[in-house]
């Protein structure tokens, strides 16, 4: 058995005279040159994997323990049960290593994420470009030297991240680029373009959006934003609290951030109607030279509650039926129109509540019934998936 093991796996050797500990490498059979290698093997020209086998004192192989390198563990994800089964069925180490190599060859041929090994000049090119760009701008690089995350700072001090996915023929092939932006990231690339020039193009894109982010930063800092709870740099909308159960949703145009945004008033009709009338009557007063928040105040003739004067809990009112604020992605946007009540509900909760009442009635897609709190008339549209 030992002679066969050494012959077939010369890099896997015993570490003690009892021959209960084996350590070294197993070599997976080469695939034809015409086939593509997996990313996990792109750093191993010989496709060797580190393996350690620990046998009990009686050398009963069924109780053996295996330790392997992270690359082999990653490659065998999803095949652990098969490897364990082969271990239990093997009579000795030689048989198991042969079985393990068979499993690895099957895995390598079936991997859908195969791609070719970059030539040596790929790595020298990448290092040279990073030297020019500056290693301080590198936030992350994966173990295959394919995916990079580069940091950038705009003129207002906001930090941004550019994710770059390099191709094996870099720089002949344009890399994939993505960032947290409200517009598509347009990058010009030629075989002569470097990462430093790519980073420079990204900075220009950031500066073109500086005014847009300035508008939203002012809204975020001076009002209570109900939605989104954790806005990203790609978000163009804000739902701003005006009062209890009353809010306005604005969508700012990234290309024209100081122009009148799309506005949608949300809340009970008795509270929303006067604001809607003011918005329509004063729309002509909008001044593009002033800030969006200042214009909204003037057009609606209101003062927005701010973190200085109000608590956010005053506006995040829970649903009167399920007693939670968020139901999956939905918030309580159905409100009782009686000024003395004004209780909010999730659309789904109110629909289910009214549907269960014998006194409720339905006309087309509208359900008519009574408010669960004040018994005044209330309506709700049928929930889409149940209509």
């Amino acid at each position: 058995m030992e002679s066969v093991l050494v012959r077939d796996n010369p890099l896997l050797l015993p570490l003690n005279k009892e021959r209960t500990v084996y350590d070294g490498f197993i070599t997976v059979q080469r695939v034809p040159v015409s086939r593509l290698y997996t990313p996990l093997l792109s750093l191993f020209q010989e496709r060797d994997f580190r393996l350690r086998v620990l046998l009990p004192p009686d050398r009963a192989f069924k109780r053996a323990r295996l330790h392997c390198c992270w690359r082999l563990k990653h490659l065998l994800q999803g095949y652990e049960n098969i490897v364990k089964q082969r271990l239990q069925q093997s009579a000795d180490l030689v048989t198991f290593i042969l079985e393990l190599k068979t499993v690895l060859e099957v895995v390598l041929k079936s991997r859908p994420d195969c791609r070719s090994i970059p030539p040596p000049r790929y790595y020298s090119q990448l290092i040279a470009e990073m030297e020019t760009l500056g290693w301080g701008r590198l936030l992350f690089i994966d173990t295959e030297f394919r995916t990079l995350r580069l940091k950038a700072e705009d003129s207002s001090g906001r930090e941004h991240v550019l994710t770059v996915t390099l191709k094996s023929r870099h720089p002949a092939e344009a890399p994939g680029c993505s960032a947290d932006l409200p517009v598509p990231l347009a990058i010009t690339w030629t075989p002569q373009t470097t990462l430093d020039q790519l980073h420079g193009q990204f900075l220009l894109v950031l500066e073109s959006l500086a005014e847009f982010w300035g508008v939203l930063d002012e809204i975020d800092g001076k009002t209570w934003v109900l939605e989104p709870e954790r806005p990203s740099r790609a978000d163009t909308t804000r739902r701003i609290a005006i009062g209890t159960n009353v809010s306005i949703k604005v969508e700012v145009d990234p290309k024209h951030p100081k122009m009148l945004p799309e506005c949608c008033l949300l809340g009970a009709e008795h509270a929303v109607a006067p604001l809607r009338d003011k918005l329509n009557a004063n729309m002509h007063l909008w001044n593009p030279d002033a800030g969006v928040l200042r214009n909204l105040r003037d057009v609606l003739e209101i003062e927005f509650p701010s973190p200085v004067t109000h608590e956010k809990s005053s506006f995040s009112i829970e649903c009167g039926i399920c007693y939670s604020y968020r139901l999956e992605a939905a918030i309580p946007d159905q409100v009782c129109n009686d000024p003395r009540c004004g209780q909010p509900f999730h659309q789904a909760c109110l629909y289910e509540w009214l549907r269960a009442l014998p006194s409720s009635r339905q006309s087309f897609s509208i359900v008519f019934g009574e408010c669960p709190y004040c018994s005044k008339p209330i309506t709700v549209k049928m929930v889409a998936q149940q209509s």
Side-chain angles (χ1 to χ4, degrees), residues 148-190:
L148 298 81
R149 286 201 282 269
L150 308 176
K151 66 179 180 180
E153 187 175 293
D154 62 28
S155 57
S156 298
R158 306 180 192 91
E159 290 192 356
H160 306 266
V161 177
L162 173 64
T163 300
V164 182
T165 304
L166 300 176
K167 305 296 176 60
S168 59
R169 294 180 59 242
H170 175 80
E173 287 184 272
C177 299
S178 63
D180 199 10
L181 303 174
V183 296
L185 177 58
I187 294 295
T188 302
W189 185 269
T190 68

Side-chain angles (χ1 to χ4, degrees), residues 20-32:
T20 58
V21 180
Y22 288 80
D23 200 318
F25 297 87
I26 60 172
T27 303
V28 181
Q29 182 180 356
R30 287 180 179 270
V31 295

Side-chain angles (χ1 to χ4, degrees), residues 77 96 99 103 134 136 166 169 257 261 272 308 328-329 362-363 375:
Q77 281 183 358
F96 172 70
E99 292 284 347
V103 172
L166 300 176
R169 294 180 59 242
V272 167
V308 177
E328 296 180 349
Q362 180 177 327
S363 176
S375 299

Side-chain angles (χ1 to χ4, degrees), residues 162-376:
L162 173 64
T163 300
V164 182
T165 304
L166 300 176
K167 305 296 176 60
S168 59
R169 294 180 59 242
H170 175 80
E173 287 184 272
C177 299
S178 63
D180 199 10
L181 303 174
V183 296
L185 177 58
I187 294 295
T188 302
W189 185 269
T190 68
Q192 290 73 42
T193 305
T194 64
L195 290 177
D196 185 46
Q197 294 168 340
L198 181 68
H199 190 268
Q201 291 186 51
F202 183 54
L203 287 176
L204 292 176
V205 174
L206 297 181
E207 288 310 305
S208 70
L209 295 167
E211 191 175 57
F212 164 77
W213 284 318
V215 167
L216 293 182
D217 285 348
E218 182 185 23
I219 292 174
D220 293 340
K222 296 183 178 180
T223 68
W224 278 121
V225 175
L226 303 179
E227 297 287 329
E229 292 183 351
R230 296 178 179 84
S232 70
R233 291 296 179 191
D235 289 318
T236 60
T237 62
R238 294 293 189 273
R239 179 170 166 253
I240 310 168
I242 294 177
T244 304
N245 303 328
V246 184
S247 60
I248 183 171
K249 182 178 181 180
V250 298
E251 182 166 1
V252 181
D253 184 348
K255 296 181 179 179
H256 307 284
K258 290 192 174 182
M259 300 299 292
L260 176 66
E262 291 188 23
C263 299
C264 178
L265 288 156
L266 304 170
E269 183 61 24
H270 72 270
V272 167
L275 294 172
R276 188 186 299 117
D277 292 341
K278 290 178 182 177
L279 178 62
N280 293 330
N282 298 331
M283 199 176 295
H284 67 282
L285 299 177
W286 191 274
N287 180 11
D289 294 329
V292 169
L293 191 56
R294 173 63 182 274
N295 274 305
L296 287 174
R297 288 172 182 153
D298 293 343
V299 169
L300 296 174
E301 299 178 10
I302 61 169
E303 284 295 330
F304 287 97
S306 74
V308 177
T309 59
H310 295 76
E311 295 291 332
K312 190 175 184 179
S313 58
S314 303
F315 312 109
S316 299
I317 305 299
E318 294 82 4
C319 171
I321 296 174
C322 72
Y323 302 110
S324 64
Y325 178 66
R326 188 173 294 279
L327 181 64
E328 296 180 349
I331 60 174
D333 56 358
Q334 307 293 305
V335 183
C336 177
N337 283 326
D338 192 300
R340 294 167 296 180
C341 178
Q343 178 64 44
F345 308 97
H346 293 116
Q347 180 189 9
C349 293
L350 185 57
Y351 171 73
E352 292 295 336
W353 176 277
L354 295 180
R355 193 176 67 159
L357 295 179
S359 58
S360 299
R361 62 185 180 86
Q362 180 177 327
S363 176
F364 295 100
S365 62
I366 306 296
V367 179
F368 298 81
E370 295 179 351
C371 172
Y373 275 70
C374 68
S375 299
K376 296 296 183 181

